[in-house]
């Protein structure tokens, strides 16, 4: 529990998955899982429980991990790594294989954000899907890119230039029957229609 979390809010279980042959084999230290957990802990006010996995680039194993995390009650599952065009990059295929619905807008927005920095962002193949009452999103592999795609882009004064994908995550989870996620606006302001706001958030 971090100091930024509020015990009066819905508890949330989140799955975080780092996909890398070399990191999972101990060749180097994984940076994806700490980056995901740190950002989520700072962005969300809810009490959080994390289920983490560090696994190799094997399609069947990735799909199995995603199903397991959904079945254990994770309302949100975020993956990092394995979304490029290389032969071993199979995270999108593994994610689509367990999908009940595809949510293409998330991938489209992530690529738009990354294109502000590198033209090779068009090679990224991140997808997002719904399985049951869980939202699964593929994220980039680098910690800086993870933060940018989740949080969005800001100018030197801190004003938001382009919304990150996480602004839409809480309402998406509302719509599929998950817990009510509340964010710290200074990190990422969640967007909901007025009709979807809880009374405590309208003051």
């Amino acid at each position: 529990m971090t100091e930024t979390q509020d015990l009066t809010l819905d508890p949330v279980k989140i799955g975080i998955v780092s996909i890398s042959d070399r990191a999972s084999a101990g060749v180097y230290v994984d940076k994806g899982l700490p980056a995901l957990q740190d950002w989520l802990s700072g962005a969300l006010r809810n009490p959080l429980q994390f289920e983490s996995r560090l696994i190799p680039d094997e399609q069947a194993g990735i799909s199995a991990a995603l199903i397991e995390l959904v079945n254990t009650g994770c309302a949100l599952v975020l993956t990092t790594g394995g979304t490029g065009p290389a032969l071993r990059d199979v995270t999108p295929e593994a994610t689509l294989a367990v999908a009940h619905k595809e949510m293409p807008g998330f991938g489209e927005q992530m690529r738009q954000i990354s294109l502000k920095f590198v033209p090779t962002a068009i090679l990224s193949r991140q997808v997002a899907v719904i399985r049951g009452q869980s939202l699964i999103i593929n994220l980039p592999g680098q910690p800086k890119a993870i933060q940018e795609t989740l949080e969005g882009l800001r100018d030197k004064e801190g004003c938001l230039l382009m919304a990150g994908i996480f602004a839409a995550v809480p309402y998406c989870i509302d719509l599929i029957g998950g817990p009510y996620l509340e964010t710290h606006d200074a990190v990422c302001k969640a967007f909901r229609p007025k009709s979807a706001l809880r009374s405590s958030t309208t003051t």
Side-chain angles (χ1 to χ4, degrees):
M1 181 74 59
T2 70
E3 293 181 356
T4 60
Q5 292 166 5
D6 186 338
L7 288 171
T8 66
L9 302 177
D10 292 344
V12 181
K13 192 173 187 179
I14 299 178
I16 52 176
V17 185
S18 184
I19 299 155
S20 168
D21 286 333
R22 291 184 292 169
S24 63
V27 175
Y28 59 77
V29 176
D30 171 69
K31 296 181 179 180
L33 294 176
L36 288 170
Q37 185 164 333
D38 288 350
W39 191 88
L40 291 162
S41 297
L44 286 167
R45 295 173 53 204
N46 303 67
L48 303 178
Q49 176 185 345
F50 291 102
E51 289 283 342
S52 62
R53 302 287 187 275
L54 176 57
I55 57 177
D57 293 273
E58 298 286 352
Q59 184 171 337
I62 297 167
S63 291
L66 297 178
I67 292 171
E68 177 192 11
L69 291 168
V70 169
N71 289 346
T72 61
C74 292
L76 175 65
V77 179
L78 299 178
T79 75
T80 177
T83 60
L87 295 179
R88 294 288 293 172
D89 290 337
V90 293
T91 301
E93 287 77 13
T95 303
L96 292 170
V98 305
H100 294 152
K101 294 179 180 178
E102 188 175 356
M103 303 294 290
F106 286 100
E108 293 166 2
Q109 182 67 0
M110 281 189 276
R111 283 180 282 276
Q112 287 299 310
I113 291 170
S114 296
L115 277 168
K116 297 292 185 182
F117 301 98
V118 291
T120 51
I122 60 174
L123 303 180
S124 299
R125 302 186 301 117
Q126 292 101 326
V127 300
V129 306
I130 291 168
R131 179 179 175 86
Q133 292 180 294
S134 301
L135 175 62
I136 304 171
I137 305 174
N138 301 156
L139 294 171
Q142 297 300 318
K144 181 175 182 290
I146 289 171
Q147 178 180 350
E148 289 164 351
T149 53
L150 289 171
E151 191 171 320
L153 304 180
R154 300 178 183 274
D155 62 19
K156 294 179 180 179
E157 286 71 42
C159 297
L160 192 65
L161 298 174
M162 178 181 289
I165 63 165
F166 205 83
V169 166
Y171 185 49
C172 181
I173 291 177
D174 292 349
L175 293 173
I176 59 177
Y180 191 91
L181 273 61
E182 297 199 24
T183 60
H184 290 283
D185 290 355
V187 178
C188 177
K189 182 175 176 61
F191 176 82
R192 287 180 170 96
K194 290 183 179 180
S195 60
L197 292 172
R198 285 188 177 178
S199 57
S200 62
T201 66
T202 59
T203 57

